[in-house]
Amino acid sequence: MRNRLFIAEKRDLALSIVAGLALSGHTPNDRTGRYKSGFIEVGDDTVTWLQGHMLDSCKPDVFGFAFGDIDSLPVIIPSDSWKYELIKTEMGWNELQSDVIADLFEKHRVIVNAGDPAREGQYLVDLVIRHLGRDPYGNGIERLWFSDVQASTLAKAASSTKPNAEYRNLCMSAQYRAMVDYEYAMTFTNLMTELIKRAGGASRASIGRLRTTIQRIVSDRDQARQEFKPTDHFIPTVTFSNGREAATGKWAWGSAVATDSSGRLVNKAIPDALWQKIKGKNATVVVSEKTTSLEHPPLPHHISSATQSLAKKHTYPASKTLDLAKTLYLPDGLSSYPRGDSRYMPTAFRAEAIPVIMENLKLIPDFAQMVAGADTSLTSKCWNDSKIQDHYALVPTTKLTLSEWNRISEDQRNFLRETTRQLLMQFYPPATYAQIRMEIECDGERFVVTGRKLIQAGWRSLLGKMDASEDDEKDTSLALFAKGETLTVTDFSLGATRTTIPPRFNDASLMAILESPSPLMPTPELKKVFVDGVGIGRPGSRPDALTVLFSLNVLTRPKSGKALDIETTPFGFSMTCALPEGIKSVPLTAIWELKLDLIARGKIPPEDFKAEVEGQIKKITADLIARYGASGMPIAHMERREVMEGEGEPCPKCQTGKLKTIFFKDTKGKTNRVLVCDRPREECDFRRFDVEPLPGNGNPCPKCNKGKLATISFLSSGVQTRALVCTEPKDVCGFFSVPVTPLAGAGKVCPKCQNGTLTTISIPKKGKRGGEVEGRVSRLECTRRRESREYMINCVPLQNEMKPSKKSRNGRLRTISLAERNHKRSIK
């Protein structure tokens, strides 16, 4: 029996691997494995997991690059000098799990990379293996490669693992992508932010391949809207008749007819002359065809296509759709993994999960009729294992039962209505259309007649009104004339029309162009990169990038537009114009993807790609510093920067660093300032907030008599509040006081301990269930309470004070001290 340690990318994949090992008969007496803290034992094997990326590149200062120091730019780091650190997580999970995996390393001969079968999955597990001291491509390191996460597939894959070294190039493509992305983003975010600062601006830049591409795409659309001028043009049509039926065809003018640069007929004299030429003449049918066409059901959704649909139907922004997908995935497991790229499904899922899903759905009223009309023997093109690299499409799971459906929110139901219906479409026949095509000739001119009509709805019977396109609403005539038949010209239309202004992008259309950006590519070679679901950025990362651009005031929702319209702000437009083409190039992603694919296939060395990108970064950096380094880069509509008093002076705390002003936005979008030491925070945490000084500001600290009192501002229960703190470190003094109006009794000796003095303090309000609500209240407290917790009284009686008790007819309600009550309980 082999002693193997499987490292899965996420816990849900680990559970699937356990099920696969159990299915293979590995644990005949234990079908689920033995659960431990951070891992599961299955026979002689062990399965553990990460939470996606466990390690990330260290901050630039670790590599010797200080933010704001543009003389050290660009951020170029030799590959063999790259350093990584554990990503800090809530409750320190990564640190704990790293220790668990390190301990398991010592107990297992064979380590199996069980990351998702794609370059990122390969990379993040290989990185952990290397971080914990093993060569990911050495002896005893294997790879679990699978097409889907069904138990039967994983059981088979676990019995035929391959040497992990075979996938080294795949890892290199992801690792070097991460490296150049880091150098690109850190260099230009640092540089642009500092150049704006030197020009007197407080606005921040955030440069990244996906964010900057979105910024450019939206800006280009807005510029096209600003420069738009409507063009009148003509699409002439002629109606022909055989005395019984009539059909209308469009004029198929030849290359000799004068048009504008876009191929539009703009000269009215030309269609007028056409009418004079053919009026009253006979015509002949030269082509007559009638065919039947099939329209197959659309593929199941992934997050990008679901975003587009829910934006159209329910005006959900992209960020909301992603949040719904994540909450339905974890912790409840009602929907599949939300950040996958694929819209295809594994065949094992069809065999193992679909029967259970259909049984569950028939009990849910929203889907009962759809399930009744479904034919699970039908096979659509979505069932294709070869199209799945890591995760499959966004579909409901076997856990979606009637009780779960009744429990979840309406927004979650809307999400599942969309993804579930798209899955059920796969078990309906294609939509069937009858269509005709005729070519009619009259006096040397050719006219084309087309017609299309739905004759069997198939999967389209599941569509609602919001799903139908304009073409679906049209009932096209199917009049068909025989080839060679003679017709007469009965009517003519100029087809006068006017071009319309390009619409603003919205969450749906923006996600669509990022999913299929071929129209934005300048060459056929680059267009070919974006095929079969490959787009700009990963579907799960696009909503996050959009949210960042909104927060930086680069993009906005126009007040005069529709709910989800997106528009470039004046600052965002100016920023985009100011960026060099090498930073904001839309084809950049396609160019990089071509190279990364070659790396994955072992066609080019990864260092060559890194050196090429770094050469471009160096040139752009040098050009920007030479042009703007001295005076900065003024950008129209940027937020102006006024530094705080003390900027550039020696830090009063460490005497080593210098003070600098940091600008930040509070939860209400207001820009605030704080004076900080320019040394790393762990070395010096000096902070001086830009607030109106409170009485006592600058006085000696009454607690330690070493530091001085300084005024800070902080958000407490939704209210911006000021307080006096000691300038000494918290672990030395920790004095903190929110000035309040003294209550009656303040200054008197504590009646309980007889040692302390009563003082007035301010605390956040508490809601009925103990949570904080907006606002603060005052109360009396003993000055010794922080040390002895012996006395505290409420400053104001609670509501219903002295009213009769509902529980005891003779008693009355009175306000008590919670601290006192807890103290008595502790004595018990």
Side-chain angles (χ1 to χ4, degrees):
M1 197 71 70
R2 302 182 67 189
N3 179 247
R4 300 176 295 180
L5 172 64
F6 292 81
I7 305 177
E9 187 171 333
K10 297 180 185 68
R11 188 175 187 274
D12 61 320
L13 175 58
L15 296 176
S16 297
I17 293 172
V18 169
L21 292 172
L23 184 67
S24 67
H26 208 62
T27 54
N29 299 320
D30 184 358
R31 306 298 291 176
T32 60
R34 297 178 298 281
Y35 284 68
K36 306 291 183 179
S37 179
F39 62 96
I40 304 171
E41 294 177 344
V42 189
D44 291 330
D45 291 333
T46 302
V47 182
T48 188
W49 55 87
L50 316 177
Q51 282 185 338
H53 286 270
M54 177 177 275
L55 297 164
D56 199 2
S57 298
C58 292
K59 300 296 186 291
D61 58 273
V62 174
F63 300 108
F65 299 94
F67 199 87
D69 179 15
I70 64 174
D71 293 332
S72 65
L73 295 178
V75 175
I76 300 296
I77 306 166
S79 303
D80 56 3
S81 299
W82 214 277
K83 298 177 182 179
Y84 299 90
E85 60 186 2
L86 284 172
I87 298 172
K88 293 183 179 180
T89 54
E90 191 174 348
M91 306 300 291
W93 188 91
N94 268 349
E95 291 84 349
L96 294 172
Q97 190 68 356
S98 177
D99 291 341
V100 169
I101 299 174
D103 183 60
L104 292 171
F105 263 42
E106 301 299 322
K107 301 175 180 177
H108 292 80
R109 293 186 301 104
V110 177
I111 309 299
V112 183
N113 179 332
D116 288 341
R119 70 185 187 196
E120 289 299 319
Q122 184 71 40
Y123 166 56
L124 63 90
V125 178
D126 280 359
L127 196 58
V128 170
I129 295 173
R130 185 183 296 115
H131 179 74
L132 294 177
R134 297 282 292 269
D135 177 6
Y137 313 114
N139 293 330
I141 310 295
E142 299 182 355
R143 182 61 159 111
L144 178 75
W145 195 264
F146 48 92
S147 59
D148 63 75
V149 294
Q150 300 305 302
S152 58
T153 303
L154 291 169
K156 183 177 180 181
S159 64
S160 58
T161 54
K162 300 179 180 180
N164 196 52
E166 293 184 11
Y167 299 90
R168 185 180 184 279
N169 288 331
L170 187 65
C171 177
M172 291 300 101
S173 68
Q175 181 175 335
Y176 278 75
R177 190 278 310 158
M179 287 178 174
V180 296
D181 263 339
Y182 181 94
E183 293 175 334
Y184 171 93
M186 293 301 176
T187 296
F188 295 129
T189 294
N190 189 345
L191 179 57
M192 291 301 299
T193 299
E194 180 62 20
L195 293 180
I196 291 172
K197 176 183 175 182
R198 293 188 179 189
S203 300
R204 293 189 299 117
S206 181
I207 307 299
R209 262 199 307 150
L210 177 56
R211 291 192 298 275
T212 308
T213 299
I214 292 175
Q215 178 178 334
R216 172 68 179 276
I217 290 172
V218 178
S219 179
D220 284 353
R221 172 62 60 86
D222 291 338
Q223 183 174 3
R225 285 173 55 83
Q226 292 173 12
E227 298 173 353
F228 173 77
K229 294 180 180 179
T231 301
D232 292 323
H233 60 108
F234 306 91
I235 307 175
T237 60
V238 175
T239 302
F240 303 92
S241 174
N242 63 359
R244 298 179 302 278
E245 294 180 302
T248 299
K250 293 181 180 179
W251 181 31
W253 60 79
S255 57
V257 175
T259 59
D260 67 2
S261 59
S262 299
R264 293 184 291 251
L265 191 61
V266 296
N267 186 351
K268 183 176 179 295
I270 295 176
D272 284 342
L274 170 70
W275 176 232
Q276 294 302 319
K277 179 180 180 182
I278 66 173
K279 183 168 56 176
K281 294 186 178 179
N282 290 334
T284 303
V285 179
V286 293
V287 174
S288 179
E289 300 171 339
K290 184 174 184 179
T291 57
T292 299
S293 65
L294 300 178
E295 184 182 15
H296 294 279
L299 294 170
H301 281 306
H302 58 10
I303 191 63
S304 185
S305 60
T307 295
Q308 297 170 48
S309 184
L310 290 170
K312 176 182 176 182
K313 295 179 183 177
H314 302 290
T315 63
Y316 289 171
S319 57
K320 179 172 182 176
T321 298
L322 180 58
D323 286 343
L324 289 170
K326 290 191 293 187
T327 55
L328 286 167
Y329 172 62
L330 289 175
D332 298 330
L334 304 183
S335 183
S336 58
Y337 181 71
R339 293 182 180 269
D341 295 349
S342 179
R343 297 185 66 176
Y344 290 88
M345 295 295 297
T347 53
F349 185 95
R350 176 189 176 96
E352 297 173 19
I354 286 298
V356 179
I357 290 174
M358 299 298 273
E359 285 298 315
N360 291 340
L361 293 180
K362 70 169 55 174
L363 301 177
I364 301 175
D366 296 65
F367 306 116
Q369 188 173 352
M370 298 183 192
V371 174
D375 181 357
T376 54
S377 67
L378 296 176
T379 301
S380 73
K381 63 180 180 180
C382 85
W383 307 103
N384 190 334
D385 293 339
S386 67
K387 295 286 188 179
I388 302 170
Q389 290 187 329
D390 42 17
H391 299 284
Y392 52 78
L394 203 53
V395 296
T397 69
T398 56
K399 294 182 179 180
L400 181 59
T401 60
L402 178 60
S403 60
E404 290 291 334
W405 179 262
N406 291 334
R407 179 187 60 81
I408 61 179
S409 69
E410 185 62 19
D411 286 339
Q412 291 173 318
R413 289 176 187 171
N414 283 337
F415 180 93
L416 286 170
R417 285 185 183 107
E418 188 61 35
T419 58
T420 302
R421 186 193 59 173
Q422 203 87 350
L423 175 63
L424 291 175
M425 286 178 181
Q426 311 311 311
F427 303 109
Y428 276 72
T432 306
Y433 290 88
Q435 56 187 31
I436 64 163
R437 185 180 184 278
M438 294 184 291
E439 292 184 20
I440 300 173
E441 193 173 274
C442 182
D443 199 11
E445 302 294 342
R446 180 112 0 157
F447 301 87
V448 178
V449 179
T450 58
R452 185 177 187 234
K453 195 168 187 176
L454 182 67
I455 56 177
Q456 184 178 341
W459 62 268
R460 281 189 163 271
S461 63
L462 302 186
L463 296 179
K465 292 183 178 180
M466 291 294 292
D467 301 288
S469 66
E470 291 183 4
D471 290 339
D472 296 332
E473 300 293 331
K474 295 178 181 178
D475 187 13
T476 310
S477 171
L478 293 180
L480 184 68
F481 304 132
K483 181 178 180 180
E485 189 172 354
T486 300
L487 310 173
T488 58
V489 175
T490 60
D491 199 7
F492 172 79
S493 172
L494 281 171
T497 187
R498 171 173 287 190
T499 56
T500 57
I501 187 170
R504 290 188 179 105
F505 274 115
N506 55 38
D507 291 54
S509 57
L510 181 59
M511 294 302 126
I513 196 67
L514 291 172
E515 184 68 21
S516 302
S518 293
L520 305 176
M521 297 299 112
T523 66
E525 181 186 24
L526 294 179
K527 288 179 184 292
K528 290 179 181 178
V529 175
F530 299 108
V531 295
D532 201 17
V534 177
I536 296 176
R538 300 198 69 179
S541 62
R542 294 165 191 158
D544 295 334
L546 187 57
T547 299
V548 171
L549 293 173
F550 282 128
S551 70
L552 293 174
N553 191 37
V554 172
L555 300 180
T556 188
R557 305 276 189 194
K559 294 180 180 179
S560 60
K562 297 179 181 178
L564 294 183
D565 278 358
I566 300 171
E567 190 174 60
T568 311
T569 63
F571 165 71
F573 191 80
S574 300
M575 165 70 86
T576 306
C577 292
L579 289 174
E581 186 64 29
I583 296 178
K584 64 185 179 184
S585 167
V586 175
L588 180 68
T589 290
I591 296 170
W592 283 19
E593 286 297 331
L594 283 172
K595 302 292 179 65
L596 292 170
D597 180 62
L598 292 174
I599 293 172
R601 291 190 284 121
K603 299 296 184 181
I604 62 172
E607 281 293 341
D608 289 359
F609 168 66
K610 185 171 182 285
E612 180 183 346
V613 173
E614 289 172 346
Q616 297 166 359
I617 293 175
K618 289 176 182 178
K619 183 179 184 307
I620 296 171
T621 301
D623 291 345
L624 286 173
I625 292 177
R627 186 173 180 183
Y628 301 108
S631 58
M633 179 187 286
I635 296 178
H637 307 288
M638 68 182 180
E639 191 171 356
R640 302 306 300 180
R641 174 182 181 271
E642 294 182 11
V643 300
M644 291 176 61
E645 184 179 354
E647 172 92 4
E649 295 179 1
C651 174
K653 184 175 181 179
C654 68
Q655 302 296 327
T656 302
K658 290 186 178 181
L659 299 182
K660 65 178 182 179
T661 305
I662 298 294
F663 297 84
F664 65 96
K665 292 184 182 293
D666 60 25
T667 56
K668 297 182 179 180
K670 179 183 177 182
T671 299
N672 297 291
R673 303 181 296 175
V674 59
L675 201 63
V676 304
C677 179
D678 63 3
R679 297 178 66 196
R681 191 166 185 175
E682 57 270 18
E683 297 178 15
C684 181
D685 61 356
F686 176 83
R687 295 287 186 274
R688 182 185 298 163
F689 289 86
D690 179 29
V691 293
E692 183 180 351
L694 287 166
N697 190 83
N699 291 346
C701 174
K703 183 176 180 180
C704 68
N705 292 314
K706 294 180 180 179
K708 292 184 178 181
L709 297 183
T711 305
I712 67 168
S713 176
F714 62 97
L715 198 65
S716 174
S717 302
V719 177
Q720 204 69 32
T721 306
R722 292 181 297 164
L724 287 173
V725 299
C726 180
T727 55
E728 287 293 303
K730 288 182 180 180
D731 55 352
V732 174
C733 178
F735 177 84
F736 179 91
S737 174
V738 179
V740 293
T741 303
L743 296 169
K748 293 182 179 181
V749 175
C750 173
K752 183 164 187 176
C753 70
Q754 300 298 322
N755 291 320
T757 303
L758 297 182
T759 184
T760 307
I761 68 168
S762 174
I763 62 171
K765 282 185 179 179
K766 296 289 185 180
K768 293 182 179 180
R769 298 185 179 180
E772 290 189 6
V773 296
E774 186 170 331
R776 301 182 68 83
V777 295
S778 301
R779 73 181 181 196
L780 286 176
E781 180 179 278
C782 177
T783 54
R784 294 190 64 235
R785 174 179 175 269
R786 299 290 177 182
E787 303 167 8
S788 64
R789 304 186 66 85
E790 287 186 350
Y791 188 75
M792 181 185 71
I793 61 173
N794 292 312
C795 65
V796 180
L798 295 175
Q799 188 178 6
N800 298 326
E801 171 83 7
M802 299 307 293
K803 288 186 177 181
S805 170
K806 293 182 179 180
K807 189 171 183 180
S808 172
R809 294 183 180 179
N810 298 325
R812 290 182 178 275
L813 300 175
R814 70 181 181 89
T815 302
I816 67 168
S817 164
L818 295 177
E820 181 179 287
R821 186 182 67 183
N822 290 338
H823 183 64
K824 287 182 178 179
R825 284 181 175 174
S826 66
I827 294 174
K828 293 179 181 179

